[in-house]
Amino acid sequence: MKIKPAVVVILAAVFFNLQLNAQDTTLVQPEFLQYQNSKWVDSVMEALTPKERIAQLIMVAAYSNRGEKHKKEILELIKEQKIGGLIFFQGDPKSQVELMNDYQQAAEVPLLGAIDAEWGLGMRLDNTLSFPYQMALGAIRDDSLIYKMGQEVARQVKRTGLHMNFAPVVDVNNNPNNPVINYRSFGEDKNNVAEKGIAYMKGMQEAGILTTAKHFPGHGDTDTDSHLALPQINHPFERLDSLEMYPFKKLIEAGIGGVMVAHLNIPALDSTGVPSTLSKAIITGILKERLGFKGLIVTDAMNMKGVTKGNEAGVVDKMAVLAGNDLLEFTEDVPKAIAEVRKAISQGVISQAEIDKRCRKILAVKQWVGLNNYKPVPARNILKQLNTPEAITLQRKLVEASLTVLKNESSLLPLKKLDTLKIASVSIGAEKRTKFQKSLGLYTDVKHFQLKADAKASEINEIKEALKKYNLTILGIHDDSKYPRNTMKFSEAVQDFISELSVENNTVISFFKNPYALNKIKNIEQAPALIETYQDSEITEDLAAQLIFGGIDANGRLSVSVGKKFKAGEGLDVKGGIRFKYSTPEDAGMDSKILYGQVDSLMNQAINAKAIPGGQIFVARDGKVVLYKAYGLHRYSDTVKVERTDLYDLASVTKISSALPALMKLYDEGKFSLEAGIDDYLPDFKNSNKADIPFRQILTHQARFKPWIPYWKNTLRKNGSYKWNTFKKDSSARFPVKVADDMWLHRNYKKKIFKAIKKSPLEEEAKYKYSGLAFYLLPSIVEEITGKDFRKYIYENFYDKLGATTLTYRPSEKFPDERIVPTESDFLFRHRPIQGNVHDEGAIMMGGISANAGLFANANDLAKLMQMYLNRGVYGGERFIEASTLNEFSRTQFPENGNHRAIGFDKPYLEYKGEDSNTAKDVSKDSFGHTGFTGIYAWVDPQENLLYLFLSNRVLPTRENTRLYKLNTRTKIQQVLYDAIVE
């Protein structure tokens, strides 16, 4: 027997009512319901006509980027039709606030303002933050982060003068081809969707914003976009009830304020074929009666083809009201909609009392969000107040927590033993160096390639050939779409290239696309290391690079299944924290307003005073880089800006960056003793006045050594010309030491320097007096102990392993001059401006290789060495120096003698001397570091786990420029760091 459609509806209703008694009746009711019969609501109801009460159910679309004509149209609807609310779409925050204030002023009853801010205001408004899409949030294991996101989104929505967010999406996306939900869903696991939805909802609602779970009864399993047509879902009731509707039930139980109904044709719930938005069986029968929802029921946009096709504007709105909706979103014909509802009342299809009940519900919402005490919202400083450092930090934390490692064979990630790796990166789908590649380059030397999405075979073959030189390839697979679609625009040849590299045992892949797209690339699941980031943005690219090198952890879990390759819930934990995390001050317990504002001010002051032409500042706390910035110019007279990658002459910071780490390592190995003297390692010093003076005294500068010797003056005749056996204009076997392009020093002059040191007299009293003499000898001592070339030894044992590729002697051999910041214009010795060679005369006469001076670096690479010290000898997952050794070398050795110095390291003065001190007043006594003559400052403080670097070329154009010292710029900036610490 054929059952008529009407009978099916009746039978379904009976079944739903039978099931009603089985429902959990311990629902948390929406908070706004308490105001339905409040004095304010009563007073407003009394003032509204029956027609105006209908108008309160209507919310129209408003834009802040459509000019005066659109504004006039909205004002007419407010004044003439008395509509209840506005939903804002495209525009900018300032214009939106100003418009909303104008609209509220024109309204007799305050307007309810809403927005679609599923991933934050960035979904609709320019210059605002976008948090990760919900598919990425679904990968996060810590729901408290999503709760915090809800609070922050609510704060921003309120700041723009609005009261309601049409979020969260709690559709279970179990159809990879879903064109409209997809990345907007928390994923395919109903429990995960529900948990994430509740966390997001509670965060928003507890911050005073009404939320709506959407799109009821579940829009996840469709391959049709309801904006364009009416999707049909053919699952039986049991499946819909246990899966699609599950998250909605849970959010209703948890007290969500609103539910948005989708435009869907679901025969198992309503066999008449009407869209669910217009279905009384679904809205009243299921949502209200069976699920017991008493909150605000909102339609999906009433301009979408899924509901408008075959239905007249205005008439369709009346149908939505009759089905049980409380609020009509995006009504296209307001007068017609009101007229149609009034007609339905007059025909007895719906009662005025029912309309009044829904009107009261909307007014109750308005009171709950504070509209009973409405005040205009200020537009001033809105962008600054929206895009706060705290919000940006939360945005980064959410992305970080979502990163999902799907493959990590042999614990390849994070990368270790950088000295064994020759790394290339290929950004696929990019035409210029990507943020991903720039961030990779922060950790070590990486050769970068780009490959267009439609690259030709010849271009691919060229990269294949180039990659043969490298033993590790990092692939970044990028997305050129604003939204992470489940499509693949790469040519077949490019996809084949990815497939080929995936089966190599030296490939790391970071997939900056929708996870469903993984299923479109053959063999990608075979990659030794595979990271899913869910979307492509500067933040995901930056953090994926940090994950690869161990700057951050990874513990995300895949939110959807990817064909037969991966299942939802898969993911591997990767422990990071072994190298720098490049983050925000707030992530490290510091105030970015204090830090950035005051450091910038002090640097600009120094530059304007011509104390320095420019510089680099690097600050890290708890291993998190909170400030890494370049300022000013290379020279006062040019326009070449300082870049973060530029190299500076480190001057005396070389003392703690070259031979000192080597000596500490040799001390660990029992090959170097602090109680031994120079003569124990350099026999020529046996009969000198420096024999038997222990290195403990030498390296703390109380060995009675003279401060310095002007070696270069000994090369001159009385008339100012060079002695015949010192310099020649061309190199030769006898004159192999380059001092300048046309200055080559005699091969034996190093012996003369050593002889001068050996014969130099001693000071009378053994007290602190800074001396650089012994540091000329230390490279030879290291070579004597190890039997290895000094440079090779420190590169192999320290710099290469640290990934500190710019920390180097003789930088001109590796880097172009335009990357090396110039120092002094030397008109005494070399008679030329100095760039690319060490400034110190003695060091350049040692061939540029000394422990007194000679090292160059950018701030980022010097910081790796300093962080290793701060970590008590560990960095990158490797131990370089024993902690006990660093403790010994970094402590003050002879305080009883008035000497504040440690072994090799400088320390704070024993008593703070105000502006005459070598550190800021809040620096701890445990801190240590060094300064450099060229304007360098390198310091670490174990008590605050704080690292600070100041790189400059204050000696340009002359060393007589002492303004940097007079301004105390370096220590003033150091104090700012302590002032900025908030926890």
Side-chain angles (χ1 to χ4, degrees):
M1 182 178 71
K2 187 175 183 181
I3 300 176
K4 295 181 179 179
V7 176
V8 172
V9 175
I10 294 170
L11 290 173
V14 171
F15 177 74
F16 298 153
N17 287 328
L18 288 173
Q19 290 292 311
L20 182 60
N21 294 328
Q23 295 298 309
D24 182 359
T25 57
T26 58
L27 303 181
V28 176
Q29 296 298 340
E31 289 184 2
F32 73 83
L33 292 175
Q34 64 186 299
Y35 297 113
Q36 285 183 107
N37 297 299
S38 69
K39 289 182 179 179
W40 183 78
V41 170
D42 286 346
S43 66
V44 175
M45 286 296 292
E46 288 176 11
L48 293 174
T49 66
K51 177 183 175 183
E52 290 169 348
R53 294 174 188 177
I54 298 169
Q56 283 295 306
L57 313 187
I58 294 175
M59 179 174 276
V60 300
Y63 299 79
S64 54
N65 62 355
R66 290 195 177 180
E68 286 299 315
K69 182 181 177 183
H70 175 69
K71 179 180 178 181
K72 183 178 178 182
E73 291 171 352
I74 299 297
L75 285 171
E76 286 177 359
L77 290 172
I78 294 168
K79 293 175 180 177
E80 297 176 10
Q81 302 299 325
K82 310 295 177 68
I83 58 172
L86 299 170
I87 173 172
F88 275 86
F89 288 88
Q90 292 89 355
D92 68 273
K94 184 173 183 292
S95 299
Q96 178 181 288
V97 166
E98 291 170 346
L99 283 172
M100 192 59 172
N101 287 339
D102 290 344
Y103 295 151
Q104 293 285 25
Q105 186 177 7
E108 295 177 9
V109 178
L111 297 160
L112 184 65
I115 193 168
D116 282 308
E118 295 167 17
W119 51 85
L121 291 179
M123 182 172 176
R124 295 299 188 212
L125 301 180
D126 298 335
N127 305 311
T128 57
L129 286 180
S130 287
F131 293 100
Y133 298 119
Q134 287 188 195
M135 188 169 284
L137 299 179
I140 295 175
R141 299 168 74 184
D142 181 3
D143 289 349
S144 69
L145 278 174
I146 295 169
Y147 172 84
K148 291 174 183 176
M149 173 183 158
Q151 289 190 308
E152 178 58 30
V153 170
R155 183 192 72 83
Q156 295 189 24
V157 169
K158 289 168 74 173
R159 182 62 186 84
T160 57
L162 305 181
H163 322 97
M164 186 174 185
N165 187 6
F166 289 141
V169 174
V170 291
D171 301 311
V172 179
N173 200 87
N174 37 35
N175 188 331
N177 297 318
N178 194 319
V180 63
I181 303 302
N182 204 292
Y183 61 88
R184 295 165 62 194
S185 165
F186 289 117
E188 70 176 55
D189 182 287
K190 67 178 183 180
N191 294 296
N192 192 43
V193 170
E195 290 164 7
K196 299 291 188 290
I198 289 170
Y200 191 13
M201 174 270 288
K202 283 189 173 181
M204 286 189 283
Q205 288 194 175
E206 289 176 16
I209 286 291
L210 193 75
T211 65
T212 60
K214 62 185 188 184
H215 306 81
F216 185 81
H219 206 320
D221 194 3
T222 174
D223 56 8
T224 302
D225 186 344
S226 52
H227 292 85
L228 308 175
L230 180 64
Q232 183 167 314
I233 296 178
N234 293 312
H235 295 302
F237 170 79
E238 291 77 9
R239 149 70 187 260
L240 297 167
D241 181 57
S242 63
L243 181 58
E244 273 75 10
M245 285 192 279
Y246 178 84
F248 294 94
K249 294 178 191 177
K250 291 299 178 184
L251 268 74
I252 290 169
E253 290 172 8
I256 192 158
V259 171
M260 178 182 285
V261 183
H263 306 310
L264 300 168
N265 175 13
I266 313 175
L269 302 185
D270 187 338
S271 61
T272 64
V274 299
S276 44
T277 337
L278 310 181
S279 169
K280 190 169 186 177
I282 292 174
I283 296 171
T284 300
I286 300 178
L287 185 55
K288 288 185 176 182
E289 296 176 359
R290 182 169 185 273
L291 301 186
F293 182 61
K294 295 181 180 179
L296 197 70
I297 301 175
V298 185
T299 68
D300 205 344
M302 296 301 290
N303 69 328
M304 293 166 62
K305 293 293 190 291
V307 73
T308 61
K309 189 173 181 180
N311 294 312
E312 184 182 348
V315 175
V316 74
D317 299 279
K318 173 195 70 176
M319 296 166 67
V321 171
L322 296 179
N325 291 287
D326 300 311
L327 184 63
L328 307 174
E329 180 210 342
F330 214 132
T331 297
E332 291 189 289
D333 190 334
V334 175
K336 183 70 178 290
I338 294 172
E340 287 293 325
V341 174
R342 293 188 73 189
K343 187 189 300 182
I345 293 170
S346 67
Q347 293 173 345
V349 180
I350 191 170
S351 67
Q352 182 65 48
E354 179 61 27
I355 296 297
D356 292 351
K357 181 180 177 182
R358 299 185 198 180
C359 181
R360 280 184 173 275
K361 194 185 286 188
I362 288 167
L363 293 174
V365 170
K366 291 185 177 184
Q367 183 170 354
W368 182 75
V369 298
L371 283 170
N372 56 318
N373 294 309
Y374 166 74
K375 293 179 182 178
V377 176
R380 186 179 178 185
N381 293 328
I382 188 167
L383 283 179
K384 187 176 181 181
Q385 291 170 12
L386 288 175
N387 303 319
T388 62
E390 293 78 10
I392 293 167
T393 301
L394 176 60
Q395 179 191 35
R396 293 182 66 86
K397 285 183 176 180
L398 288 159
V399 172
E400 180 181 340
S402 73
L403 298 179
T404 304
V405 176
L406 295 172
K407 293 289 297 296
N408 191 23
E409 292 180 2
S410 303
S411 298
L412 179 58
L413 301 179
L415 298 177
K416 299 183 181 72
K417 299 187 180 302
L418 298 184
D419 55 319
T420 67
L421 299 177
K422 192 171 184 184
I423 306 172
S425 78
V426 185
S427 276
I428 297 178
E431 296 187 18
K432 60 181 181 180
R433 186 171 297 186
T434 60
K435 178 66 175 177
F436 179 56
Q437 293 179 312
K438 292 175 182 176
S439 295
L440 290 172
L442 291 170
Y443 290 97
T444 190
D445 185 39
V446 180
K447 176 65 176 176
H448 302 299
F449 301 92
Q450 295 81 41
L451 192 65
K452 294 182 294 184
D454 59 350
K456 298 175 183 177
S458 59
E459 296 170 302
I460 294 172
N461 289 333
E462 188 176 328
I463 288 181
K464 281 183 183 179
E465 188 62 30
L467 292 180
K468 292 178 181 178
K469 300 176 183 177
Y470 303 89
N471 62 7
L472 183 77
T473 302
I474 301 175
L475 281 188
I477 301 178
H478 295 273
D479 197 338
D480 64 351
S481 173
K482 181 180 179 181
Y483 304 114
R485 307 292 186 190
N486 55 347
T487 54
M488 183 64 67
K489 293 184 179 178
F490 298 146
S491 68
E492 190 172 332
V494 169
Q495 291 187 50
D496 288 343
F497 175 61
I498 298 170
S499 297
E500 288 176 31
L501 284 179
S502 296
V503 298
E504 298 290 336
N505 60 7
N506 62 340
T507 304
V508 175
I509 299 179
S510 189
F511 199 72
F512 299 106
K513 296 174 74 65
N514 188 308
Y516 288 129
L518 283 166
N519 206 35
K520 302 181 185 298
I521 298 181
K522 185 180 178 182
N523 297 331
I524 197 166
E525 71 279 9
Q526 296 182 39
L530 176 61
I531 303 165
E532 171 58 52
T533 74
Y534 301 93
Q535 58 194 85
D536 198 348
S537 68
E538 287 215 341
I539 296 177
T540 56
E541 292 186 28
D542 180 26
L543 290 173
Q546 295 192 41
L547 164 59
I548 289 168
F549 281 99
I552 61 173
D553 298 339
N555 54 24
R557 295 296 184 263
L558 195 60
S559 49
V560 294
S561 295
V562 181
K564 295 181 180 180
K565 296 180 188 291
F566 302 104
K567 296 298 180 185
E570 286 191 41
L572 302 168
D573 288 348
V574 172
K575 184 65 177 172
I578 64 171
R579 296 191 180 91
F580 280 127
K581 175 183 181 181
Y582 296 83
S583 191
T584 65
E586 280 67 23
D587 190 31
M590 300 178 78
D591 186 326
S592 59
K593 294 170 189 166
I594 295 173
L595 184 65
Y596 293 160
Q598 294 187 30
V599 171
D600 284 357
S601 177
L602 287 166
M603 284 298 286
N604 289 331
Q605 178 194 55
I607 291 168
N608 292 335
K610 294 194 181 311
I612 53 173
Q616 293 172 2
I617 301 290
F618 188 103
V619 181
R621 186 173 187 235
D622 296 332
K624 299 170 182 177
V625 180
V626 298
L627 176 61
Y628 176 25
K629 189 172 179 179
Y631 297 83
L633 305 171
H634 279 208
R635 299 179 176 85
Y636 295 110
S637 58
D638 65 19
T639 59
V640 179
K641 292 182 179 179
V642 177
E643 301 293 341
R644 299 197 311 177
T645 53
D646 290 339
L647 284 72
Y648 277 85
D649 182 335
L650 300 184
S652 284
V653 171
T654 300
K655 291 180 172 69
I656 64 169
S657 306
S658 61
L660 190 64
L663 293 180
M664 285 191 277
K665 178 176 173 59
L666 295 171
Y667 179 89
D668 285 340
E669 296 169 354
K671 298 176 181 177
F672 172 76
S673 172
L674 289 169
E675 312 315 321
I678 296 172
D679 53 308
D680 287 303
Y681 303 106
L682 298 179
D684 283 353
F685 280 73
K686 287 284 184 186
N687 299 316
S688 74
N689 58 2
K690 297 171 184 63
D692 300 325
I693 299 176
F695 270 104
R696 190 179 296 275
Q697 291 189 344
I698 293 170
L699 295 175
T700 51
H701 302 278
Q702 68 166 42
R704 299 163 57 206
F705 288 6
K706 293 290 183 183
W708 68 294
I709 297 172
Y711 308 103
W712 65 274
K713 289 185 179 180
N714 295 327
T715 67
L716 299 176
R717 298 188 179 97
K718 290 183 179 180
N719 64 4
S721 63
Y722 294 118
K723 296 176 181 177
W724 73 270
N725 64 340
T726 55
F727 292 106
K728 298 295 181 184
K729 289 189 177 181
D730 295 311
S731 64
S732 66
R734 293 180 66 197
F735 293 86
V737 182
K738 184 178 181 181
V739 172
D741 286 342
D742 56 356
M743 289 182 68
W744 295 84
L745 183 65
H746 194 281
R747 63 190 178 192
N748 291 331
Y749 206 85
K750 180 178 175 180
K751 293 180 181 179
K752 291 187 176 183
I753 292 175
F754 278 31
K755 187 175 181 180
I757 295 171
K758 178 181 176 181
K759 289 188 172 184
S760 64
L762 296 176
E763 299 284 346
E764 291 185 5
E765 188 177 354
K767 63 179 182 179
Y768 169 64
K769 192 162 193 176
Y770 185 82
S771 172
L773 297 190
F775 289 88
Y776 287 94
L777 310 175
L778 293 182
S780 293
I781 289 173
V782 171
E783 290 179 345
E784 186 70 24
I785 295 172
T786 64
K788 293 183 179 180
D789 174 78
F790 174 67
R791 273 202 299 176
K792 187 175 182 181
Y793 181 81
I794 58 172
Y795 288 1
E796 288 180 352
N797 285 282
F798 294 97
Y799 308 160
D800 293 347
K801 291 182 177 183
L802 291 167
T805 54
T806 67
L807 192 53
T808 186
Y809 286 104
R810 296 177 179 170
S812 290
E813 294 176 355
K814 298 181 181 179
F815 301 97
D817 280 351
E818 55 265 27
R819 277 192 62 186
I820 306 170
V821 180
T823 51
E824 186 174 15
S825 295
D826 180 1
F827 296 115
L828 294 175
F829 174 39
R830 282 165 279 187
H831 304 287
R832 72 201 67 212
I834 305 303
Q835 183 175 17
N837 290 313
V838 60
H839 167 270
D840 183 87
E841 296 90 348
I844 193 63
M845 295 178 76
M846 295 281 288
I849 303 167
S850 169
N852 184 64
L855 275 182
F856 287 69
N858 61 36
N860 186 57
D861 281 346
L862 175 60
K864 294 168 187 175
L865 179 70
M866 297 301 293
Q867 186 67 39
M868 183 268 285
Y869 292 156
L870 188 54
N871 293 346
R872 287 298 184 254
V874 174
Y875 190 81
E878 295 187 61
R879 177 162 289 283
F880 292 80
I881 301 166
E882 292 298 324
S884 58
T885 298
L886 263 164
N887 290 337
E888 178 64 18
F889 274 67
S890 64
R891 73 173 179 89
T892 299
Q893 297 290 312
F894 302 105
E896 71 282 357
N897 203 27
N899 185 346
H900 68 281
R901 287 271 177 166
I903 299 171
F905 294 108
D906 196 4
K907 296 279 289 182
Y909 291 159
L910 297 176
E911 293 183 7
Y912 181 65
K913 300 178 181 180
E915 291 197 349
D916 292 328
S917 287
N918 63 340
T919 64
K921 66 179 178 64
D922 286 345
V923 170
S924 82
K925 293 298 182 182
D926 290 336
S927 69
F928 57 95
H930 215 284
T931 56
F933 187 73
T934 52
I936 311 298
Y937 194 96
W939 211 268
V940 296
D941 189 340
Q943 282 197 18
E944 288 294 348
N945 208 1
L946 188 66
L947 184 161
Y948 164 49
L949 299 180
F950 180 107
L951 271 58
S952 75
N953 54 336
R954 70 101 196 157
V955 294
L956 188 123
T958 170
R959 69 187 66 193
E960 302 304 320
N961 178 11
T962 59
R963 296 187 188 98
L964 185 66
Y965 303 148
K966 293 173 183 176
L967 289 171
N968 282 309
T969 304
R970 297 180 295 182
T971 53
K972 284 181 179 178
I973 288 177
Q974 189 177 44
Q975 183 58 44
V976 169
L977 313 187
Y978 290 85
D979 295 341
I981 294 172
V982 294
E983 62 177 40

